[in-house]
Amino acid sequence: FFFNDTATTEIYTRSIVGSVRCVQETGINAEYMGFQNQGMTQGKNPKNFRKKGVKKRTTHPFARKEWYEVKAPAMFEKRTCGLTPVTRTTGQKIASDSLKGRVIETSLTDLKKSDEGASKAYRKIKLIVEDVEGSSCFSNFHGMDVTRDKLCSLIRKWQTTIEAHVDVKTSDDYYLRLFVICFTARMQRQLRATSYATAAKIKLIRRKMVEIIMKRVQQCTFKSLIPELMDEKIEEEIKKQCARYYPLQNVLITKAKVLKKPRFDASKMIEFYGDHAAAANEILAQAPIQTEEPKNLLAGAEKKEQIKNSQSDCEQLINHI
């Protein structure tokens, strides 16, 4: 309500859908102003709009997923490192194609059974899915990294940081890029607070680090190299051989990348997944065995020869593996 003291006028106001009545002085007819019909047309008022059709039922995205086990290669103690989801096969989109090439990152602790893994929790391992069989994803080593908090804890003042990287090829044609870092340490009976190395000594240490890494990696196969990277054997050798130039501490391979690898081969996957005996048993189990004697004797003799040939081929394949 609005009240005016000078004139006896009362104006009742409502919403635009309602009616307005002007009384006493004005004498204006509200019906003339177009407010006779209190309810406007349905199409004019947006509040009265009704959506056509029924609401679509939205299903949860994970209702259309299925879970696959991720299997780690034989270099690691724990062979099952986790589960990964993927959308079910629908139409031309196949689930196994979506899984191949997927990179999974996990801690080294999750891949080791022993207590040593807890002390190396700062190591991050990357695995790439190469093959899918049933509900299992068979992965291979794809890279290695160090957590940020570990790297930050090593960097301090009053010491020299030396870094190097090298591209190297293993004996079985895997190209890798390795990054290494080390820090200068205090000498015995040192009184000076700082332990800075000269530029000439830094160059010598860096050259020696690259030389050691190239020599060790070129002699190894890809399968034998990964345990060396995890057990830090290369770092121990660098520390030992560079001590003649300057004592080092906290030598660490911070990162390893697989740049290039040979084309996927099923026989190599068997090597990475270890048990040759199990693989041989599977091959023998797949060999055809004829139990019933056929009525035709000539046909029976031919069948026996085919079975013998197939079994001999299987045995040759097992010996080759």
Side-chain angles (χ1 to χ4, degrees), residues 201-234:
K201 286 187 176 179
I202 290 168
K203 284 181 183 177
L204 284 170
I205 291 165
R206 190 178 287 117
R207 193 185 304 156
K208 193 68 180 174
M209 284 196 299
V210 170
E211 185 187 323
I212 291 164
I213 290 168
M214 288 193 76
K215 187 180 176 183
R216 290 291 292 264
V217 174
Q218 285 171 355
Q219 291 174 355
C220 296
T221 60
F222 186 67
K223 188 181 176 181
S224 60
L225 175 66
I226 294 159
E228 286 198 9
L229 291 174
M230 291 188 293
D231 296 339
E232 299 180 0
K233 291 179 180 177
I234 298 170

Side-chain angles (χ1 to χ4, degrees), residues 15 17 42 44-50:
S15 65
V17 182
Q42 185 181 357
K44 300 284 182 181
N45 188 4
K47 288 183 181 177
N48 294 336
F49 285 166
R50 290 181 185 176

Side-chain angles (χ1 to χ4, degrees), residues 19-263:
S19 62
V20 177
R21 290 196 311 164
C22 303
V23 194
Q24 295 177 3
E25 277 188 354
T26 56
I28 298 169
N29 192 357
E31 292 176 5
Y32 177 75
M33 294 173 68
F35 296 105
Q36 183 178 8
N37 188 8
Q38 292 188 12
M40 291 179 70
T41 316
Q42 185 181 357
K44 300 284 182 181
N45 188 4
K47 288 183 181 177
N48 294 336
F49 285 166
R50 290 181 185 176
K51 291 181 181 177
K52 293 179 181 179
V54 188
K55 265 192 177 180
K56 260 191 176 180
R57 279 191 178 182
T58 54
T59 56
H60 198 276
F62 272 84
R64 292 181 282 109
K65 304 280 183 187
E66 53 188 7
W67 294 84
Y68 284 75
E69 275 190 351
V70 181
K71 300 283 185 184
M75 303 84 116
F76 304 102
E77 292 174 9
K78 283 186 183 176
R79 305 300 293 277
T80 304
C81 59
L83 298 166
T84 184
V86 70
T87 309
R88 289 192 190 95
T89 303
T90 50
Q92 293 182 348
K93 195 176 181 183
I94 302 164
S96 60
D97 293 343
S98 304
L99 285 166
K100 284 175 185 175
R102 184 176 288 189
V103 177
I104 293 134
E105 190 177 272
T106 183
S107 174
L108 184 60
T109 312
D110 298 332
L111 296 169
K112 285 207 167 191
K113 290 180 182 177
S114 57
D115 297 333
E116 292 178 7
S119 62
K120 294 179 182 177
Y122 58 86
R123 286 274 186 206
K124 294 188 289 183
I125 305 294
K126 287 182 181 178
L127 301 170
I128 186 166
V129 177
E130 291 200 340
D131 195 18
V132 180
E133 287 182 14
S135 61
S136 299
C137 301
F138 294 97
S139 62
N140 200 356
F141 181 82
H142 186 62
M144 187 179 70
D145 206 349
V146 174
T147 55
R148 181 177 169 79
D149 60 330
K150 174 65 177 177
L151 204 58
C152 291
S153 68
L154 301 176
I155 298 165
R156 299 170 191 166
K157 59 182 181 178
W158 298 345
Q159 63 182 10
T160 304
T161 305
I162 305 166
E163 291 180 283
H165 70 276
V166 57
D167 293 356
V168 64
K169 180 183 174 184
T170 61
S171 59
D172 51 351
D173 297 335
Y174 278 83
Y175 283 91
L176 287 95
R177 182 174 289 159
L178 301 175
F179 297 80
V180 64
I181 191 169
C182 65
F183 305 91
T184 54
R186 291 173 65 86
M187 296 183 185
Q188 288 182 352
R189 299 177 183 177
Q190 181 176 324
L191 300 174
R192 189 177 56 183
T194 60
S195 52
Y196 296 131
T198 59
K201 286 187 176 179
I202 290 168
K203 284 181 183 177
L204 284 170
I205 291 165
R206 190 178 287 117
R207 193 185 304 156
K208 193 68 180 174
M209 284 196 299
V210 170
E211 185 187 323
I212 291 164
I213 290 168
M214 288 193 76
K215 187 180 176 183
R216 290 291 292 264
V217 174
Q218 285 171 355
Q219 291 174 355
C220 296
T221 60
F222 186 67
K223 188 181 176 181
S224 60
L225 175 66
I226 294 159
E228 286 198 9
L229 291 174
M230 291 188 293
D231 296 339
E232 299 180 0
K233 291 179 180 177
I234 298 170
E235 288 95 318
E236 288 172 10
E237 191 175 342
I238 289 168
K239 189 177 179 180
K240 188 178 178 182
Q241 293 200 23
C242 291
R244 69 179 93 168
Y245 307 121
Y246 209 98
L248 299 177
Q249 62 178 348
N250 299 324
V251 184
L252 197 67
I253 291 174
T254 54
K255 193 182 282 186
K257 292 181 182 177
V258 178
L259 301 178
K260 198 176 177 184
K261 56 187 175 183
R263 193 172 288 179

Side-chain angles (χ1 to χ4, degrees), residues 267-293:
S267 62
K268 286 213 170 182
M269 281 300 291
I270 292 169
E271 286 179 20
F272 282 121
Y273 278 85
D275 305 325
H276 297 290
N281 289 332
E282 285 178 14
I283 293 164
L284 279 172
Q286 289 171 7
I289 298 166
Q290 188 76 25
T291 53
E292 294 181 3
E293 286 288 333

